[in-house]
Amino acid sequence: MARKGHRPSHAPAGRPRFWGRHAVTAALANPERIVRKMWATREALASLDIPPVIPITFADVADLARLVPGDAPHQGLVAEVDPLEDVWLGDLLDQGAGDRRPLVILDQVTDPHNVGAILRSAAAFDALGIITPDRHSPPESGTIARSASGALEIVPWVRVVNLARALEEVAEAGFWRVGLTGEATQTLAQAMGETRVALVLGAEGEGMRHNTAAHCDELARLPISPKVESLNVSNAAAIALYAVTTRG
């Protein structure tokens, strides 16, 4: 049977390495995640129940530091994993058909720390998932997993070839698409209404592309002080998700 909806991109080649207790234990707990091998100190493994099929290499702290980016806080745990299977947009929209969970759509947000932090906020506020273009978005990585603090394993992440077409499909599913931009005249509270909301956020610095903004139903801003020019995109996403979740 043909899969429904906008097709995802192909998963990036290669296997990422995750590090740190939150990222590694969340990967181990995710039945959809294949963990290929692990490196760990004996102390870090003492409190973990590792499936016997996963090869483990005992290592000291200095050896583990050579397996991850410089100064990465590995906490004695490193794992090599397969990227998660593609999530199809149509399937995600079907999963949210009966509720009011928001969507988060990122237009060329490239910093993996920001993407990870947004995944964490999406998990905290029970978002349906996040959507990114396959180009100009980071692949799964240890940095994202660490910043997401386990949320990479529980928040569906849809990668799409054409973001404008995906935005059209989101609208057809009943979402009100609100693009966040500092130039907007109305606030998010004024723009989001009572329907299900898809929050659209643009890239660090450049903001949303014109074509992305054209595919939003409303443009809105966060009511921040004029003393501050703008917020980091991950901070803006967290505040916007809170506003959507707590609206009257």
Side-chain angles (χ1 to χ4, degrees):
M1 186 176 75
R3 299 300 282 284
K4 176 184 175 184
H6 193 71
R7 74 178 181 87
S9 66
H10 295 292
R15 292 181 180 142
R17 284 180 182 169
F18 292 176
W19 61 83
R21 180 165 290 272
H22 281 301
V24 172
T25 56
L28 289 167
N30 181 4
E32 303 299 319
R33 173 74 74 183
I34 297 174
V35 178
R36 293 291 180 179
K37 63 178 85 167
M38 291 182 61
W39 298 264
T41 63
R42 294 186 184 276
E43 293 78 10
L45 281 178
S47 59
L48 298 181
D49 184 17
I50 308 298
V53 295
I54 299 175
I56 300 173
T57 299
F58 291 103
D60 61 26
V61 170
D63 290 333
L64 293 175
R66 287 190 280 271
L67 296 174
V68 298
D71 299 325
H74 56 71
Q75 298 175 302
L77 292 170
V78 178
E80 185 173 277
V81 304
D82 285 356
L84 292 173
E85 291 290 327
D86 286 330
V87 178
W88 288 71
L89 180 54
D91 291 344
L92 181 68
L93 296 174
D94 283 347
Q95 291 170 23
D99 60 50
R100 285 165 55 84
R101 285 178 289 169
L103 272 172
V104 179
I105 301 172
L106 306 180
D107 183 21
Q108 297 191 349
V109 175
T110 57
D111 187 328
H113 295 92
N114 282 333
V115 174
I118 291 168
L119 282 163
R120 188 174 187 178
S121 294
F125 293 105
D126 197 26
L128 178 59
I130 73 167
I131 301 170
T132 67
D134 63 342
R135 300 184 65 188
H136 307 292
S137 294
E140 282 188 32
S141 68
T143 300
I144 289 179
R146 173 73 182 180
S147 299
S149 193
L152 177 60
E153 307 301 325
I154 58 176
V155 177
W157 180 357
V158 178
R159 297 174 178 274
V160 297
V161 175
N162 187 302
L163 193 62
R165 286 207 303 271
L167 282 162
E168 292 171 0
E169 192 172 338
V170 164
E172 291 167 5
F175 283 88
W176 191 245
R177 304 161 299 181
V178 180
L180 290 180
T181 172
E183 289 74 47
T185 56
Q186 62 183 338
T187 64
L188 176 59
Q190 295 167 330
M192 61 186 172
E194 296 301 318
T195 61
R196 294 192 295 165
V197 173
L199 295 166
V200 187
L201 296 101
E204 305 92 344
E206 295 83 4
M208 271 186 298
R209 291 173 294 170
H210 176 76
N211 192 42
T212 302
H215 282 82
C216 293
D217 298 295
E218 301 274 5
L219 298 179
R221 59 180 172 81
L222 297 175
I224 64 173
S225 166
K227 298 174 184 176
V228 177
E229 181 181 355
S230 63
L231 290 173
N232 174 280
V233 65
S234 64
N235 292 334
I239 293 167
L241 282 164
Y242 173 79
V244 170
T245 304
T246 59
R247 61 184 162 168

